[in-house]
Amino acid sequence: MKILMVCLGNICRSPLAEGILKSKVSSEVEVDSAGTAGYHEGELPDTRSIAVAKKYGIDITNQRSRKFTVADFDYFDLIYVMDDSNYHNVLSLARNDEDALKVKMILSELGSTANVPDPYYGGTDGFENVYAMLDDACDVISSKM
Ligand code: 4NP
């Protein structure tokens, strides 16, 4: 099974989602992340994401930001997006129903239609809140693997 986590910049939310899910599944499950925008290509995760992950025992400093590409539809089985905007951006690149059916809002795993809020312009509280949401969603995702 191969799972891709997607947000806008691939420096705040999806790197946390990648690190958290990896911590809950066996090494047979491949987990990666990407951003719909390439602004931060090649960069480390945001220092606030690195800090909140470290607080919970997860090291995400091996990650580097990259942009989502159409080839990701071929490689990954499931593509989890963080918010409605990511959802529309990824779906706009889908070539067919098979691509489109791989895309899910990550909080739909908790029975919610909510977005994982973009914490980039807020304080560290936002990162704690995002971490808690993603930890709950990844518990459900990992329980199905
Ligand atoms: P992310 O957060 O999508 O969770 O990685 C953001 C990171 C950077 C920007 C926006 C959101 N930005 O505008 O540069």
Side-chain angles (χ1 to χ4, degrees):
M1 179 65 96
K2 301 188 189 85
I3 299 179
L4 184 66
M5 302 297 192
V6 176
C7 62
L8 174 62
N10 190 212
I11 56 167
C12 297
R13 292 166 292 177
S14 60
L16 282 175
E18 176 186 334
I20 293 167
L21 185 60
K22 271 186 182 153
S23 77
K24 297 179 190 287
V25 295
S26 80
S27 56
E28 280 155 50
V29 181
E30 199 172 320
V31 188
D32 192 13
S33 63
T36 58
Y39 320 132
H40 297 279
E41 192 89 46
E43 292 179 18
L44 277 160
D46 188 282
T47 53
R48 296 163 294 177
S49 285
I50 291 173
V52 74
K54 187 175 176 193
K55 178 175 166 185
Y56 295 104
I58 296 174
D59 181 5
I60 60 169
T61 60
N62 61 311
Q63 297 186 37
R64 297 294 180 274
S65 175
R66 73 168 179 91
K67 192 174 178 184
F68 178 84
T69 72
V70 169
D72 288 317
F73 285 118
D74 298 323
Y75 191 73
F76 292 95
D77 301 300
L78 275 172
I79 298 168
Y80 283 109
V81 296
M82 302 294 132
D83 64 28
D84 297 321
S85 170
N86 311 148
Y87 187 79
H88 292 295
N89 287 330
V90 171
L91 269 196
S92 73
L93 297 172
R95 298 155 299 184
N96 51 44
D97 287 352
E98 195 187 343
D99 288 354
L101 285 167
K102 292 183 176 183
V103 188
K104 294 178 193 292
M105 291 277 280
I106 194 164
L107 297 184
S108 71
E109 295 290 0
L110 299 173
S112 168
T113 57
N115 293 323
V116 178
D118 181 349
Y120 188 62
Y121 293 106
T124 52
D125 282 7
F127 286 77
E128 284 280 357
N129 181 43
V130 163
Y131 189 97
M133 289 178 171
L134 293 175
D135 194 47
D136 288 347
C138 289
D139 276 339
V140 176
I141 295 167
S142 65
S143 73
K144 298 179 184 179
M145 301 286 127

